[in-house]
Amino acid sequence: MNDWEKRLTGPSKETNQERLGRVLTTLSITVIGLLVVTILVFLASKGLSLLFKYGVNVWDFLSGTDWSPKKGFYGALPMIVTSFGVTMMAGVVALPLSLMVALAVTEILPATFRKVTQPVIELLVGIPSVVYGFVGLTVIIPVLRQWFGGTGFGMLAATVVLFLMIVPTMVSMTIDTLLAVPESYRMASRGLGATRWQTIYRTILPSATGGVLTAMIFGMARAFGEALAVQMVIGNASIMPTSLMSSAATLTSVLTTGIGNTVMGTAANDALWSLALVLLVMSLFFNLAMRLVNRNKEG
């Protein structure tokens, strides 16, 4: 068989490229899947060791209010409540503001204004969290101390810092969602005699509801997993918060402050890994919520 016959009967160059692409894609998916499974198994084994190795009851761990690992008390409820509290407050306050800014940029202000502001908003998304924490430490804390007294550290300061952090993310995602609404919807609404606000309220927002909720959940997921910025302003007291101005601690702040002060294999160290497991479960919950919202949107 000569070279010409081999070219006619053998696989083409495109076929070889497709096979190579399939092999590389399968290999990449396999590596990423194994990495994720390894992380999950590692965190589960380390996080559950406190329950099996030291006999700590799951309910006592999740509902206890005394967190003193060196004394044998492993109550994680104050950190769980604080994490949920600051995340929910930041998300609830950030959602309407983000929605109003996104509507102004996409539906009200001129297109030239959007071309300038959207890159700025996306730039704010990439600012490191330590910068927001430093702003909270030097600006927000003194203001809260002057207005409400006390030290200024606490849940309110953490909520404000998280609010500043997640607003750019939520605004950017909401802008993309509103721009994805077909222009024919707007034209049809205006053709029926609807005003701009009627078009926004009755046509654009119902079409973009799923994307707006996804932006909110994504912002809250980022707030829930934030560590450094919250640690700098919340006070880091592992107690049940009694007010917005009282010092408290989140799951992430306790992890970052305590993981370097414990010895691997001890009960105190395993307790921190248990907190990390709780944090992982809640992060998976936020991801599941985003998938459910997107599925309902597609349906």
Side-chain angles (χ1 to χ4, degrees):
M1 182 180 294
N2 55 34
D3 294 340
W4 180 253
E5 291 177 344
K6 290 181 180 180
R7 292 180 181 180
L8 290 177
T9 58
S12 63
K13 179 180 179 181
E14 289 75 12
T15 301
N16 292 329
Q17 290 177 346
E18 183 177 356
R19 291 176 179 174
L20 179 61
R22 288 180 179 179
V23 171
L24 294 178
T25 302
T26 303
L27 181 62
S28 300
I29 294 175
T30 303
V31 171
I32 293 175
L34 290 175
L35 180 61
V36 172
V37 171
T38 302
I39 293 175
L40 293 176
V41 172
F42 176 77
L43 278 178
S45 61
K46 296 292 290 185
L48 295 176
S49 62
L50 179 70
L51 310 179
F52 295 108
K53 185 177 179 180
Y54 297 95
V56 178
N57 185 270
V58 178
W59 177 250
D60 293 338
F61 176 76
L62 295 177
S63 62
T65 58
D66 188 359
W67 178 259
S68 301
K70 294 182 179 180
K71 298 180 180 179
F73 299 104
Y74 309 100
L77 185 61
M79 287 76 74
I80 297 175
V81 170
T82 303
S83 297
F84 270 107
V86 295
T87 300
M88 293 299 296
M89 287 188 293
V92 169
V93 175
L95 177 62
L97 179 62
S98 302
L99 183 58
M100 288 188 290
V101 172
L103 286 173
V105 171
T106 57
E107 306 297 331
I108 300 175
L109 298 175
T112 54
F113 183 82
R114 183 178 71 242
K115 294 180 180 179
V116 175
T117 56
Q118 192 169 4
V120 175
I121 294 172
E122 294 175 353
L123 181 63
L124 293 175
V125 175
I127 294 179
S129 59
V130 66
V131 176
Y132 287 102
F134 184 73
V135 171
L137 194 63
T138 58
V139 178
I140 297 173
I141 293 295
V143 171
L144 294 179
R145 185 186 300 123
Q146 182 179 1
W147 286 0
F148 302 103
T151 62
F153 294 88
M155 291 185 62
L156 183 57
T159 300
V160 175
V161 170
L162 290 177
F163 165 79
L164 296 176
M165 288 185 60
I166 66 177
V167 160
T169 300
M170 295 175 63
V171 170
S172 179
M173 295 184 64
T174 306
I175 289 176
D176 294 337
T177 299
L178 296 177
L179 292 177
V181 176
E183 186 64 25
S184 58
Y185 290 9
R186 298 175 175 85
M187 297 176 62
S189 179
R190 293 167 185 169
L192 293 174
T195 63
R196 178 195 301 175
W197 291 106
Q198 288 174 332
T199 300
I200 292 174
Y201 179 70
R202 297 185 179 275
T203 303
I204 297 176
L205 287 181
S207 301
T209 299
V212 173
L213 292 178
T214 300
M216 179 182 179
I217 297 173
F218 188 86
M220 293 176 62
R222 182 187 179 188
F224 191 84
E226 178 54 41
L228 185 57
V230 174
Q231 177 188 342
M232 296 172 68
V233 299
I234 201 169
N236 301 310
S238 303
I239 56 177
M240 186 67 71
T242 56
S243 67
L244 292 178
M245 292 302 299
S246 62
S247 297
T250 61
L251 292 169
T252 52
S253 64
V254 172
L255 284 171
T256 53
T257 55
I259 197 65
N261 299 321
T262 58
V263 180
M264 290 290 293
T266 61
N269 184 264
D270 289 339
L272 294 177
W273 283 108
S274 297
L275 293 182
L277 181 60
V278 173
L279 185 63
L280 174 64
V281 171
M282 297 315 306
S283 299
L284 295 177
F285 170 78
F286 282 116
N287 291 330
L288 178 62
M290 282 190 288
R291 292 183 63 88
L292 291 177
V293 169
N294 290 328
R295 180 177 299 179
N296 293 334
K297 177 185 176 182
E298 294 175 357

